[in-house]
Amino acid sequence: MSAVTSPPAPTLPAHAKRPRLAPSAEVHSPADGQGEWVLQHGARYVRITPHIAQLVREFDGERDHEALAARLGGVWNAENVGSAVTRLDTLRLLDDGETPAPPVAPRFQLVPPMTLQLTLLRPGKTMQAMRPFFARLFSRGATAVAALGILLGMGAMAAQWDAVVTTLNSPLSAAAFTGVLIALLIGVSIHELGHAAVLIRYGGRPSRIGVMLFYLMPAFFCDVSDAWRLPDRRQRVHTALAGPAVQTSLAAVSAFAAWPLADGTAKTCLLFFAVSSYATALLNLTPFIKLDGYIALMSHVDVPFLRDRSMTDARRWLARTLFGGTYERELPTRWTTVYGLACLAFPLYFLTTALQTWLGTLQRVGWVGLLFAATGLSYALWILIRGALRLSAEVRAAGVRRGRVLAVCALLAAAAAGTLFLPVQQTVSAAYVTDTGGATRLVLPEGDAAELVRPGQRVTLTTNGLILNDAVGTARIGSAPAAATQVPVSTYFPVDLGGAVGMDSTAFPLDLDRAPAPAAGTAEVEVGRVPLWTSLHRTYVLPFLPF
């Protein structure tokens, strides 16, 4: 007769035999007596059952598993206690004597990959005492009125469409640009306070409010991680959507305020603020990056770390499709894989679209603008390289045959190399000016780009707007020789700074049928079709070479 033995029980580390919670770990009871218990350790929030909450509150570093089971009674025995302790230790929620307590979030904090946060306020009892006011402010009736106002504000924008188009196609004065920038910063701060107010209205507590550089853009932030303690997922969704709702409400007010005004600086500022606020709120609702739309979606489906887990499944789907192998799923649903693919692609799409939109303006302001463009392109390449490394790690873990990996990588490399030789239309970003005599000239900053301009090349003339650049007309480079000149720096940038600051430039004559209106704007010169690698080299490498 053969004996059947069970596998030995895993050996627990010493600190797990008489468990104690990790330093600064805290158990939160459900908000308003409803919902789930939460175990917080620093910025991490882990949902736990009432039984686990009862258990961890008895962790004092003195009792072993049997003593804990005897004290708690009921469903607990030594084996159940051991399983729970093992799981908590895996999550690094037990005190192992080595892991320090998570520090209080510093005032300055770098959040990878490109966010720098400065904490201005740690809300305390003052904001908590305003809960009754927030409850009235964000009641169902008030929310319905705000939603109607947002829709009517969009109607007010449509009624002023000609003025809106003119505003977006025209350069802003320095005063208007400053006013709009200050108004946008105030609007975004109120946006973040909206998150905090709704969280407090439901019984939560925001931990930090401050300012940040988000992908080199100034913004405000509000840490509402405590929303995971709210008992109803709809409350978490409301907390996430409060910011965009507040911001679009401000946009609606601005659109209505601009409606009766005559054309001028005030109307321009109000319309520009309204358009920018609606657009910013729409971007915030995008669920593919970690903004308010993603938080709302994650709260609605009630799946923690939805984006990260979906992207993991998407990478594994790509790995299986390209290389084969067997992979475990993070999430059981199919839609999350499609969602993960969108999350993988969207940052690259967003960054390249932004570069394409702003590249002309960045080129026109010289090497400083090109430095920003090169930084954006480098970050896009970093996203691709990081994604390739993570995909490689998934493939290695699946034990795929090396021959198939090499064959697929060779095909992908060949496709990438072939793409670099695809012909593209090379353009040079410039500007045009019309002098008092009616002659229109093409101007561009001194540099290597001027050497690419030749007589007979086609030029597209466009408006110099901060958002829109509508076509004004077309022209050809004239046969007369180029000449050195100096033009105001605002010729190349959609903010009118007057003629106080000049920029050395090269001027080329233009042959055109009629004088353009407006008399000054931006231009694109078609300098011929070249391989993609040549275009990239001329745009992002050549301007930085010292010779």
Side-chain angles (χ1 to χ4, degrees):
M1 174 181 282
S2 60
V4 178
T5 60
S6 59
T11 302
L12 289 173
H15 67 270
K17 294 178 180 178
R18 298 179 183 273
R20 184 196 307 271
L21 273 181
S24 299
E26 183 179 0
V27 177
H28 297 292
S29 60
D32 290 339
Q34 304 177 36
E36 299 184 26
W37 292 74
V38 173
L39 178 56
Q40 180 187 0
H41 187 224
R44 296 176 60 202
Y45 287 77
V46 179
R47 295 181 186 178
I48 57 177
T49 65
H51 290 302
I52 297 295
Q54 183 186 30
L55 172 65
V56 297
R57 285 182 164 181
E58 299 296 333
F59 288 174
D60 57 5
E62 301 294 333
R63 301 185 183 94
D64 60 15
H65 298 179
E66 291 184 358
L68 289 168
R71 179 174 178 81
L72 294 171
V75 300
W76 291 107
N77 56 43
E79 183 178 356
N80 291 342
V81 171
S83 297
V85 167
T86 300
R87 177 60 177 161
L88 292 169
D89 190 44
T90 302
L91 295 173
R92 303 182 66 85
L93 294 173
L94 297 183
D95 185 2
D96 59 6
E98 299 177 0
T99 304
V104 175
R107 190 164 294 274
F108 286 98
Q109 187 174 2
L110 176 64
V111 181
M114 292 183 65
T115 302
L116 178 64
Q117 296 180 344
L118 169 62
T119 299
L120 299 178
L121 175 66
R122 300 184 189 274
K125 295 182 179 180
T126 302
M127 288 193 72
Q128 295 296 127
M130 297 177 67
R131 184 180 178 187
F133 169 74
F134 293 146
R136 290 192 296 270
L137 183 63
F138 292 96
S139 64
R140 289 186 177 181
T143 302
V145 171
L148 178 61
I150 291 169
L151 294 176
L152 292 176
M154 296 173 67
M157 294 280 290
Q160 306 171 81
W161 188 245
D162 289 343
V164 170
V165 172
T166 300
T167 296
L168 301 183
N169 264 305
S170 305
L172 295 179
S173 66
F177 180 78
T178 303
V180 168
L181 183 60
I182 293 174
L184 286 173
L185 291 175
I186 294 174
V188 175
S189 67
I190 297 174
H191 166 125
E192 296 301 331
L193 290 175
H195 290 302
V198 172
L199 179 59
I200 292 171
R201 178 247 190 279
Y202 286 129
R205 52 181 185 183
S207 58
R208 296 184 300 136
I209 298 176
V211 295
M212 65 180 177
L213 284 177
F214 181 73
Y215 290 87
L216 303 180
M217 295 294 292
F220 283 74
F221 72 92
C222 177
D223 188 344
V224 292
S225 302
D226 198 54
W228 282 106
R229 295 180 53 227
L230 299 178
D232 189 338
R233 72 178 66 179
R234 289 176 298 180
Q235 296 177 342
R236 298 194 291 273
V237 173
H238 294 166
T239 301
L241 297 181
V246 168
Q247 195 163 16
T248 48
S249 297
L250 294 174
V253 171
S254 182
F256 278 114
W259 200 347
L261 298 180
D263 293 342
T265 300
K267 189 179 186 74
T268 296
C269 290
L270 288 169
L271 287 178
F272 203 95
F273 174 80
V275 172
S276 301
S277 296
Y278 273 121
T280 303
L282 182 62
L283 175 62
N284 256 285
L285 292 175
T286 303
F288 307 121
I289 47 181
K290 289 185 177 181
L291 295 175
D292 298 334
Y294 163 67
I295 302 299
L297 175 63
M298 179 174 61
S299 300
H300 175 69
V301 300
D302 205 28
V303 178
F305 307 108
L306 171 66
R307 184 173 181 271
D308 291 341
R309 297 165 73 182
S310 296
M311 289 194 298
T312 297
D313 280 343
R315 279 194 299 269
R316 291 173 180 174
W317 178 84
L318 284 173
R320 183 174 63 252
T321 301
L322 293 173
F323 304 101
T326 303
Y327 305 86
E328 293 183 0
R329 292 183 61 89
E330 286 284 326
L331 298 170
T333 50
R334 292 184 177 180
W335 72 268
T336 51
T337 300
V338 178
Y339 170 72
L341 289 170
C343 291
L344 289 174
F346 187 81
L348 191 62
Y349 164 77
F350 178 74
L351 190 58
T352 53
T353 301
L355 274 175
Q356 184 178 3
T357 302
W358 288 96
L359 183 59
T361 300
L362 294 175
Q363 288 177 332
R364 284 188 287 270
V365 297
W367 69 269
V368 175
L370 287 174
L371 181 61
F372 278 101
T375 300
L377 182 64
S378 299
Y379 182 54
L381 292 174
W382 179 79
I383 291 176
L384 287 173
I385 294 172
R386 181 188 62 181
L389 292 175
R390 290 178 175 177
L391 185 65
S392 174
E394 297 286 358
V395 172
R396 288 198 305 271
V400 178
R401 289 178 300 174
R402 181 174 297 181
R404 178 167 177 173
V405 172
L406 292 176
V408 172
C409 288
L411 288 174
L412 293 175
T419 301
L420 291 176
F421 286 90
L422 291 175
V424 297
Q425 178 65 56
Q426 175 77 56
T427 61
V428 170
S429 294
Y432 72 89
V433 294
T434 304
D435 59 28
T436 54
T440 302
R441 300 177 298 165
L442 179 89
V443 292
L444 68 163
E446 290 185 339
D448 296 320
E451 299 178 1
L452 302 176
V453 180
R454 299 284 187 273
Q457 291 172 338
R458 186 175 186 271
V459 182
T460 301
L461 309 180
T462 58
T463 57
N464 188 19
L466 197 60
I467 302 296
L468 298 180
N469 298 105
D470 286 351
V472 171
T474 59
R476 296 280 178 179
I477 301 295
S479 58
T485 187
Q486 190 175 72
V487 296
V489 68
S490 55
T491 302
Y492 301 111
F493 194 71
V495 177
D496 187 1
L497 302 176
V501 181
M503 178 178 288
D504 292 333
S505 304
T506 304
F508 295 85
L510 287 178
D511 293 335
L512 66 172
D513 297 332
R514 55 184 176 81
T522 59
E524 293 287 335
V525 185
E526 298 177 4
V527 297
R529 296 182 68 82
V530 296
L532 177 60
W533 73 266
T534 302
S535 177
L536 294 174
H537 177 265
R538 287 177 175 177
T539 302
Y540 298 105
V541 178
L542 198 59
F544 299 103
L545 295 180
F547 48 84

